[in-house]
Structure formats: C-alpha cells, structure tokens
Amino acid sequence: MRKLIIVSFLILLFCDSYSQSNVRKKIFDAQKDAAYNYLTNANRPSPDFTSDMFLKDKGAIDLNFSSDGNYPDFDVTGTYGLSNSVNLIGTFTVYTTNYNLNGTKFNGVGDVLLSSRFLLDEGKYFSHYAQVSVKIPIAKSSDQLGTGKLDYHFGMIENFSDEKFSCDAAASFDMLGRPDFPTTKSKILILQQEI
C-alpha cells in the first residue's frame, strides 16, 4: 500500500494536468536556469591573449566600460614592460553587476586579474608568446559578483606581421574555480519567489 501511495504521488507530481498554471514547470525551469547561470556563467574576468607588448619601462592604463543594459561593467587595466620581452598586466573590475539566485540585483567591486606575457621568439614574420594569468577573488561571492575561487589561465599566442597586416592566433588552457552552489535554505527561497 505504501508503494502504491508513493507511485501515485510521483505520477501526480509530474503530471501537467494536475499542476496549477504549470507551477511545476516554472519551478524546474527556474532551478535549471539559476543553476546553469551560477555554475557556468559565473561573473569572472577573463584574460586577453594578444601579442601586444610594451618596451622596458613603458606602460599604459586602459579604462573599459561595457553594458548590455542590465549588466554594466567598468574595468581598469594597467600594463607595464618589465623588460622588452616580459610584460606585467593587471585588471581590476571597479564596478560590476549581477543577479543572485533569488533574482536580486547586486552591484559592487569585482575581481582582480594578474597576468604576465612573455615574448618567446621573434622572427621576420612570426612571433611566439606565452601568457599566464591568475584571477584573485576579491568580489563578494555571496552576492554572486564573483566566484570566490582562484582561476588560472595559460595561453600561447602566435603572431604574423608584415608591413601592412598583423594577425594573432591564440589558444588557452583555463582552470576555473567552481563556485559553491548555494545551500538548501536559499533554494527554498527561490522556489517561494517563483511560485
């Protein structure tokens, strides 16, 4: 009898004809979207793998603002030529926006990305570079402005240049720190908000 009750309950739970306004579908869709966004689309800076190099004791500061209307982002990047073949690069996300699993919008400071780019060999037409980067998690992970985990990136860059044309090709290997999924308590809050 107990097995019959459990089977009947499961059939009713997953039957659209017994759900009110497709509440079950809304709950599962909300959980699926939230989990996907939280685990795979975490708010994190990513390195720029290019062949741009500064000479020794030269550098630049770049300001970057981007937005799609809902997610404004402001970064400051500094590049310094430690030597003619080694550059240090630091990117600080001054302002970032994200929505947490409850749908609340948060704004604040993002993470820091530190990189070193190395000129390995320079020829008449082709040059070879390597880059290593690490993301330092300083963003508030409880608001999902960052993952709260270290990320590591290693890239190889090939550059072709002549007098009129230059082109980069890059490949990278990324070891991304997986954010912790929220506790059961926060999952219940999501379900209550969706219903």
Side-chain angles (χ1 to χ4, degrees), residues 156-169:
M156 296 296 295
I157 304 117
E158 297 296 318
N159 172 265
F160 170 81
S161 293
D162 66 12
E163 293 176 9
K164 298 180 182 179
F165 180 77
S166 179
C167 179
D168 286 344

Side-chain angles (χ1 to χ4, degrees), residues 51-170:
S51 63
D52 296 336
M53 293 288 286
F54 283 92
L55 297 176
K56 182 177 181 176
D57 296 328
K58 302 292 181 188
I61 294 179
D62 297 316
L63 306 175
N64 179 44
F65 176 78
S66 61
S67 178
D68 69 353
N70 293 322
Y71 296 92
D73 197 65
F74 178 66
D75 300 325
V76 176
T77 299
T79 305
Y80 177 74
L82 195 61
S83 71
N84 289 344
S85 59
V86 178
N87 279 192
L88 301 178
I89 306 152
T91 301
F92 174 53
T93 305
V94 177
Y95 180 83
T96 190
T97 303
N98 204 7
Y99 291 86
N100 71 5
L101 290 175
N102 295 329
T104 305
K105 184 177 182 177
F106 288 96
N107 305 311
V109 172
D111 293 319
V112 171
L113 184 67
L114 301 176
S115 303
S116 294
R117 187 174 298 141
F118 306 93
L119 173 60
L120 302 176
D121 185 42
E122 188 171 29
K124 182 176 179 181
Y125 294 107
F126 292 95
S127 299
H128 316 285
Y129 302 84
Q131 180 174 316
V132 292
S133 303
V134 62
K135 181 204 69 170
I136 310 297
I138 65 168
K140 194 170 180 183
S141 60
S142 62
D143 292 343
Q144 294 175 262
L145 294 174
T147 63
K149 305 290 182 178
L150 290 169
D151 293 344
Y152 303 95
H153 309 274
F154 174 76
M156 296 296 295
I157 304 117
E158 297 296 318
N159 172 265
F160 170 81
S161 293
D162 66 12
E163 293 176 9
K164 298 180 182 179
F165 180 77
S166 179
C167 179
D168 286 344

Side-chain angles (χ1 to χ4, degrees), residues 25-42 71 99-102 144 181 190 194:
K25 183 174 179 350
K26 287 182 182 179
I27 290 171
F28 288 152
D29 286 347
Q31 285 180 323
K32 178 183 73 174
D33 292 344
Y36 176 80
N37 288 333
Y38 188 73
L39 294 174
T40 61
N41 289 340
Y71 296 92
Y99 291 86
N100 71 5
L101 290 175
N102 295 329
Q144 294 175 262
F181 198 74
I190 295 165
E194 267 308 303

